[in-house]
């Protein structure tokens, strides 16, 4: 296959002016339920994967039949689907990867996400009509790298997370490629996620979707002649979680993100729950729409950070984007914030007189008050004026992994998320 010549790049002394466009909001879809939630709360696009060949093999993912259904559902709601095939492959996998790429083509996915140059070559041969997006694993850090990838058929690059916003802006202004950056979620301690620690300690290769997350473990020192005595690695009272990174949160810097000219703002979290997904997609959707509607008078709504903070998370930081020294410091004390049992459930059906059939995930009592997350409107609180089993019998409480009917103050929608106040 002939490869077109690589475009030349000349860097002007001053970056040209840029009129930012509305960026795409790209959400994770670890399984079909999460896909429905991402669509419901306003994602413009989702990224997901088959059962193999992605970097999140434990997120549930999609069978071949489910992948077809997922693309059909997303397209019916004007949402794009990008399918990950971003492992670094082995020789013996070439035939199976080729079959998977053909499946992506038959599903009519909007792009395939790739890291390995060999898979890029296969994708160009097998599914030439499907755009190729380059994974963050390829750690693209400069214009010339982006132009190289463009020369071999890549349409979009997920830029290396080690870049500052100034560097992101420079790449966006000096290439014609689509660009994508992470804006929220867990961060890996290793360079662009390329980690060998999991493989070394547990024989689970993080570069092939099997990470055991040893960076989240607590470590100590052991002296050779005293094997049963463990010593803290530091004397800092915060603890010894020396590899444990903070979570990324850029909700307070949305104008700076959009003004880089980046094409897509990406949320991490194919293995996170639907409470996390609903809250984060809803919040960034509200923020993006508010900015685009009136950029000159835009201000960050303090409620956005409060809402994100209620979801179980590690300490927030801004990563490398702003050049803040403490933003990429490890989360030494393994601090978690938010309320893990706050999530109550998901509305399955809406019935007469504000009765809602809910799939219960955490225990709820008749005397509790709840908050309901609906797309496009602020979170609304409600008392429970009636609690019933699915047959309509009054009950005092509902247990996890059951269904219950809640009578609330307002009529809400299918897929709305209910939390405890």
């Amino acid at each position: 296959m002939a490869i077109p010549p690589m475009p030349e790049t000349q860097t002007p002394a001053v970056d040209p002016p840029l009129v930012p466009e509305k960026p795409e909001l790209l959400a994770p879809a670890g399984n079909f339920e999460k896909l429905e939630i991402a669509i419901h709360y306003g994602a413009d696009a989702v990224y997901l994967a088959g059962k193999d060949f992605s970097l999140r093999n434990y997120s549930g993912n999609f069978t071949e039949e489910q992948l077809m259904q997922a693309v059909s559902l997303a397209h019916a709601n004007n949402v794009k689907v990008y399918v990950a095939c971003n492992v670094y492959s082995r020789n013996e996998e070439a035939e199976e990867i080729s079959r998977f790429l053909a499946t992506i083509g038959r599903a009519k996915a909007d792009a395939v996400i790739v890291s390995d140059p060999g898979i890029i070559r296969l994708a160009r041969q097998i599914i030439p009509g499907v755009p190729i997006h380059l994974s963050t694993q390829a750690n693209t850090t400069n214009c010339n790298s982006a132009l190289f990838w463009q020369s071999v058929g890549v349409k979009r690059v997920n830029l290396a997370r080690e870049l500052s916003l100034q560097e992101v802006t420079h790449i966006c202004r000096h290439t014609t490629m689509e660009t994508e950056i992470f804006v929220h979620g867990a961060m890996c301690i290793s360079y662009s996620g390329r980690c060998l620690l999991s493989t070394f300690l547990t024989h689970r290769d993080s570069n092939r979707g099997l990470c055991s997350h040893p960076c989240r473990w607590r470590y100590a020192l052991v002296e050779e002649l005293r094997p049963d005595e463990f010593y803290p690695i530091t004397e800092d009272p915060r603890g010894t979680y020396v590899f444990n990174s903070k979570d990324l949160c850029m909700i307070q810097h949305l104008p700076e993100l959009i003004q880089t000219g980046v094409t897509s703002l990406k949320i991490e979290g194919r293995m996170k729950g639907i409470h996390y997904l609903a809250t984060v997609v809803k919040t960034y959707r509200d923020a993006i729409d508010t900015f685009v509607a009136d950029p000159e008078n835009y201000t960050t709504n303090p409620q956005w950070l409060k809402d994100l903070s209620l979801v179980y998370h590690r300490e927030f930081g801004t990563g490398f984007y702003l050049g803040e020294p403490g933003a990429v410091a490890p989360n030494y004390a393994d601090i978690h914030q938010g309320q893990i049992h706050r999530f109550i459930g998901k509305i399955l059906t809406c019935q007469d007189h504000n009765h809602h059939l809910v799939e219960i995930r955490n225990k709820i009592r008749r005397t509790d008050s709840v908050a309901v997350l609906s797309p496009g409107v602020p979170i609304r609180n409600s008392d429970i004026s009636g609690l019933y089993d699915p047959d309509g019998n009054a009950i005092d409480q509902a247990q996890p992994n059951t269904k219950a009917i809640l009578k609330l103050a307002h009529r809400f929608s299918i897929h709305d998320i209910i939390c405890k106040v």
Side-chain angles (χ1 to χ4, degrees), residues 176-304:
T176 58
M177 296 190 73
E178 292 184 5
T179 51
E180 180 181 288
I181 56 174
F182 281 100
V183 297
H184 195 95
M187 294 191 292
C188 179
I189 197 67
S190 298
Y191 186 77
S192 284
R194 289 189 169 192
C195 179
L196 298 177
L197 192 60
S198 177
T199 304
F200 179 76
L201 293 178
T202 66
H203 304 290
R204 285 167 48 179
D205 192 342
S206 58
N207 295 305
R208 296 175 59 78
L210 302 173
C211 185
S212 58
H213 302 286
C215 55
R216 308 299 185 191
W217 302 348
R218 186 170 185 173
Y219 290 88
L221 289 174
V222 178
E223 197 274 326
E224 181 180 12
L225 301 179
R226 298 173 179 83
D228 297 324
E229 296 183 32
F230 298 89
Y231 304 94
I233 292 177
T234 71
E235 296 180 3
D236 192 313
R238 291 176 293 183
T240 56
Y241 292 86
V242 293
F243 300 129
N244 191 22
S245 61
K246 297 178 181 178
D247 282 357
L248 180 66
C249 178
M250 292 294 289
I251 193 64
Q252 294 178 294
H253 303 280
L254 194 74
E256 298 100 303
L257 291 171
I258 295 177
Q259 287 163 359
T260 63
V262 73
T263 308
S264 183
L265 304 180
K266 187 173 187 177
I267 297 166
E268 182 276 337
R270 274 196 284 150
M271 294 179 65
K272 301 286 182 63
I274 61 172
H275 179 214
Y276 164 91
L277 182 60
T279 303
V280 177
V281 174
K282 170 182 165 53
T283 302
Y284 280 86
R285 174 81 281 152
D286 291 347
I288 292 170
D289 291 347
T290 300
F291 176 82
V292 171
D294 190 2
E296 294 183 1
N297 296 305
Y298 173 87
T299 57
T300 300
N301 185 341
Q303 189 62 42
W304 293 335

Side-chain angles (χ1 to χ4, degrees), residues 72-225:
S72 295
L73 175 65
H75 287 178
N77 289 275
N78 297 315
V79 173
K80 295 180 178 180
V81 177
Y82 309 143
V83 182
C85 185
N86 56 344
V87 297
Y88 286 94
S89 65
R90 307 282 169 81
N91 289 324
E92 63 271 15
E93 295 172 329
E95 185 175 345
E96 194 63 34
I97 288 175
S98 296
R99 282 197 291 267
F100 181 56
L101 291 172
T103 298
I104 293 173
R106 288 195 302 273
K108 301 186 185 304
D110 298 282
V112 57
I113 304 170
V114 181
S115 301
D116 189 329
I119 300 180
I120 292 176
R121 180 177 180 273
L122 288 174
R124 292 189 65 183
Q125 293 174 348
I126 298 167
I127 48 174
V130 178
I132 298 171
H133 291 183
L134 191 70
S135 171
T136 186
Q137 295 295 107
N139 39 298
T140 305
T141 59
N142 60 77
C143 290
N144 284 315
S145 290
L147 291 169
F148 166 77
W149 291 116
Q150 185 177 33
S151 75
V152 297
V154 173
K155 181 180 180 181
R156 175 188 294 189
V157 290
N158 185 314
L159 297 175
R161 67 197 180 110
E162 290 80 16
L163 298 180
S164 67
L165 288 182
Q166 183 178 2
E167 291 171 310
V168 171
T169 302
H170 186 84
I171 293 173
C172 291
R173 295 188 184 189
H174 295 104
T175 68
T176 58
M177 296 190 73
E178 292 184 5
T179 51
E180 180 181 288
I181 56 174
F182 281 100
V183 297
H184 195 95
M187 294 191 292
C188 179
I189 197 67
S190 298
Y191 186 77
S192 284
R194 289 189 169 192
C195 179
L196 298 177
L197 192 60
S198 177
T199 304
F200 179 76
L201 293 178
T202 66
H203 304 290
R204 285 167 48 179
D205 192 342
S206 58
N207 295 305
R208 296 175 59 78
L210 302 173
C211 185
S212 58
H213 302 286
C215 55
R216 308 299 185 191
W217 302 348
R218 186 170 185 173
Y219 290 88
L221 289 174
V222 178
E223 197 274 326
E224 181 180 12
L225 301 179

